[in-house]
Amino acid sequence: MTTFDVTRVRAAFPALSSDFLYADNAGGSQCLADAAARISDYLLNTNVQLGADYSVSVTSTVRVEKGAEAARQLFNAENVDEVAFGSSSTMLVENLARAMEADINAGDEIIITGEHESNCGPWKRVATRRGGIIKYWHATPSPLFPNNPYAVFHEVDTLLLLITPKTRLVAFTACSNILGSVVPVKEAVRVIRAKAKELGVQKLEVCVDCVAYAPHRRIDVRDWDIDYCYFSWYKVYGPHASALYVRTPSLKLSLSSLAHTFLDVASKPYKLQPGGPGYELVWGCTAVPPYLRALAPSGDLCDAFQLIAHHEQTLIEPLLVFLRSKEARGVRIVGDEHAGLSRVPTISFLVIGDRAMRSQDLVKEFDKRGKIGIRWGHFYAYTLIDTLAPKVDVKDAVVRISLVHYNTSDDVAHIIETLEEVLA
């Protein structure tokens, strides 16, 4: 495998030239210099309304169209008409749920996880409005770690038990922003659809949250056979914007338009983004795919993400080994305790027992030492934290350290050294 040049990677991010250690990347990665330059260039040179005949508007329109193409590439969608932009993933899914509302009937069942609320809250609300039924695919303890009840994961077999003839939508997370575990999306969707066919389900769609997945693994909506998918660009090295994939049949047949009534957008993603996105941010997003492609000699996105995944394993292993070594101190990893390609470097933990530490107090100790950014909280996966057993104070929740491919082994060593001091 080609050697991963992390020094060259870091040079693309101006923020990394400082001596601050960014370890809250699941909350938002650093932004590429090229993305920021494109935003500035748009605002200073092509900041006009789209669709006019004059030259600057033509240039502006082409730039925004290229933003949709950038998102299409990261989704591996069939065409740009399957891509909508928005200011946040939460807003896009809320729009999606409202557009789907007329196609959800009383008694329809919607299966959600207890993960990030962006793929839960909108479906809870639409179920309330339409008389639908919410069912939870909860994380359950892993038999691989019998001494740690917090080592939970989402087991596909438990999901299948929830499918009935009334199932209308399954909305789950490809990668947990708390557990760091990767759900086998293709396998899950395959068995979901097989079970639905067996039960005679009339219409079942799948919505996958890829916000915590997209920085670490290749999304492939066509290979996965899913209907909806979304991610946030600002967690994939771009500006604060988000993208939503909608498969063409679903766009045409499942969704009503949220746009102005006189616009003919029956088969266009504009029906989900009334008023349009921030054009300068869309143009800024076009910096991300070429950056990712440049990581691999082949220029292929799959190869680039394979390199990212393998580099990240060098970050995961020593941190997990250290945390496991502190079991007697009361440290409990929340999620999979072992490294591997089914895990990304988003690592959450608790300190319990006779010398328990509140998560916020541990982070304060990090803050006192300065120049390392980690965080505590539930990170909007409120239900997941609230259903852990033994019970966890959801207001304090967990400590989370989240790394990405621009982090280094030296970063991990520094984090471990600081943890050693804080836990002493």
Side-chain angles (χ1 to χ4, degrees):
M1 177 164 296
T2 304
T3 302
F4 189 81
D5 188 351
V6 71
T7 301
R8 182 170 65 88
V9 163
R10 290 174 67 83
F13 299 89
L16 302 182
S17 62
S18 73
D19 59 355
F20 192 87
L21 199 170
Y22 293 94
D24 182 30
N25 298 284
S29 68
Q30 294 309 297
C31 185
L32 289 160
D34 192 21
R38 294 184 191 211
I39 293 168
S40 176
D41 181 56
Y42 184 95
L43 289 172
L44 296 177
N45 296 300
T46 58
N47 191 33
V48 298
Q49 187 56 271
L50 308 185
D53 296 329
Y54 57 87
S55 60
V56 180
S57 180
V58 171
T59 299
S60 181
T61 302
V62 169
R63 286 182 161 188
V64 172
E65 289 172 348
K66 288 183 176 179
E69 169 58 20
R72 186 206 66 76
Q73 291 178 29
L74 290 195
F75 283 125
N76 194 30
E78 187 171 345
N79 62 69
V80 294
D81 282 342
E82 294 181 318
V83 175
F85 270 81
S87 60
S88 71
S89 291
T90 298
M91 183 274 285
L92 280 174
V93 184
E94 183 64 39
N95 283 358
L96 176 62
R98 288 190 173 274
M100 194 188 296
E101 186 163 335
D103 202 53
I104 294 177
N105 300 308
D108 282 354
E109 295 175 351
I110 299 174
I111 299 171
I112 62 176
T113 63
E115 294 283 352
H116 194 289
E117 195 68 10
S118 66
N119 206 20
C120 302
W123 306 119
K124 294 176 192 175
R125 288 186 286 273
V126 78
T128 298
R129 293 192 296 268
R130 298 294 294 173
I133 299 167
I134 293 293
K135 300 170 75 172
Y136 280 95
W137 178 23
H138 285 299
T140 52
S142 170
L144 298 176
F145 313 107
N147 296 324
N148 182 5
Y150 301 116
V152 298
F153 76 118
H154 285 90
E155 185 178 10
V156 174
D157 286 348
T158 64
L159 170 61
L160 287 182
L161 297 175
L162 301 174
I163 306 292
T164 77
K166 295 183 178 180
T167 304
R168 170 64 181 83
L169 179 76
V170 180
F172 66 91
T173 304
C175 179
S176 172
N177 75 331
I178 295 288
L179 309 176
S181 53
V182 176
V183 171
V185 177
K186 184 176 181 178
E187 176 193 346
V189 175
R190 178 180 57 80
V191 296
I192 287 169
R193 295 204 185 282
K195 182 67 176 290
K197 183 177 180 180
E198 175 190 327
L199 295 175
V201 177
Q202 292 187 348
K203 183 176 186 179
L204 182 148
E205 293 179 306
V206 179
C207 178
V208 180
D209 170 2
C210 278
V211 175
Y213 182 96
H216 310 284
R217 299 289 190 275
R218 176 75 164 116
I219 300 170
D220 194 336
V221 295
R222 283 187 281 180
D223 186 53
W224 291 350
D225 186 25
I226 60 176
D227 306 286
Y228 311 102
C229 182
Y230 63 96
F231 70 89
S232 296
W233 287 97
Y234 70 97
K235 299 185 181 186
V236 195
Y237 322 113
H240 204 293
S242 293
L244 170 70
Y245 160 79
V246 182
R247 183 150 53 180
T248 297
S250 294
L251 184 67
K252 293 179 178 180
L253 302 175
S254 297
L255 307 178
S256 301
S257 177
L258 304 179
H260 300 307
T261 56
F262 54 82
L263 295 175
D264 182 14
V265 291
S267 60
K268 296 293 183 181
Y270 192 82
K271 71 195 298 183
L272 290 168
Q273 50 184 43
Y279 303 140
E280 71 280 5
L281 300 180
V282 175
W283 176 236
C285 293
T286 62
V288 175
Y291 162 75
L292 292 170
R293 292 183 187 280
L295 298 179
S298 66
D300 181 79
L301 279 174
C302 290
D303 291 344
F305 276 103
Q306 186 177 32
L307 286 171
I308 286 172
H310 281 276
H311 170 69
E312 288 178 345
Q313 295 308 305
T314 68
L315 308 177
I316 296 171
E317 178 66 29
L319 186 51
L320 289 176
V321 167
F322 172 80
L323 292 172
R324 289 199 305 270
S325 75
K326 296 298 179 180
E327 181 179 346
R329 172 63 180 83
V331 173
R332 296 292 184 274
I333 297 167
V334 182
D336 196 332
E337 293 189 359
H338 290 161
L341 293 178
S342 62
R343 200 192 206 296
V344 306
T346 297
I347 298 171
S348 303
F349 64 93
L350 304 160
V351 183
I352 62 175
D354 295 337
R355 298 172 59 203
M357 289 185 71
R358 293 195 306 166
S359 295
Q360 56 191 289
D361 290 339
L362 189 150
V363 172
K364 284 178 183 177
E365 289 300 317
F366 262 73
D367 293 341
K368 287 177 184 178
R369 288 158 174 78
K371 298 188 177 179
I372 302 179
I374 67 171
R375 199 167 178 182
W376 63 273
H378 56 68
F379 305 103
Y380 296 94
Y382 186 98
T383 301
L384 172 61
I385 298 297
D386 196 40
T387 53
L388 290 174
K391 187 71 173 176
V392 172
D393 178 4
V394 74
K395 293 181 180 178
D396 187 57
V398 299
V399 178
R400 188 179 72 180
I401 298 170
S402 51
L403 306 173
V404 288
H405 72 281
Y406 57 59
N407 288 115
T408 67
S409 295
D410 286 344
D411 289 343
V412 176
H414 189 23
I415 290 169
I416 290 173
E417 179 184 358
T418 307
L419 278 170
E420 189 77 76
E421 293 176 8
V422 171
L423 294 171

